[in-house]
Amino acid sequence: MNLYIKQRVFSWGDKFSVYDEAGFEKYYVEGEIFTWGKKLHLYDLQGNELAFIRQEIFTFLPKYHVSRNGIEVAEIVKEFTFFKHEYSVNGLGWQVHGDFWDHEYEITSNGQTIAAVSKEWLTWGDTYEIRFAAGVDEITALSVVLVIDACIAAERN
């Protein structure tokens, strides 16, 4: 299963639409504005919250928490490295590595690919393709991708 994140070029706050392979909207993401730290909500098309992403503030390195149904399922932490970016997904044992500046990276577990992300170039607004391995919890993996995107955006600003 592949999903595509399409960020709206002109929007107040973070707004993302997530599409399936056929081009139909499957999920949408809305960020809270005027908050301490980034907060994102992942919804299905009926408006049900599927995941809540919250940045922990006042930390040396970026740290985010992903909750589903009010229960924290993962903590994404940027690792301290000198020449490359690495992220750990605590609670799931996942690692995130690759070329983050070009949006080409993988989420892995024990050497197996969970999801691979690549940026589509020459599109209106940023568009990312996420390729999931069979049987992967796409909501949790999608939440991790949203965190990485938030970290990249924060570094660029």
Side-chain angles (χ1 to χ4, degrees), residues 64-67 71-76 89-92 140 144:
Y64 289 78
H65 301 273
V66 176
S67 299
I71 300 169
E72 186 174 309
V73 295
E75 176 188 71
I76 299 100
V89 184
N90 301 328
L92 299 173
T140 303
V144 173

Side-chain angles (χ1 to χ4, degrees), residues 11-29:
S11 66
W12 186 261
D14 293 317
K15 291 192 179 191
F16 305 90
S17 293
V18 182
Y19 297 86
D20 63 15
E21 294 171 305
F24 295 107
E25 189 173 15
K26 188 168 183 181
Y27 309 113
Y28 65 96
V29 179

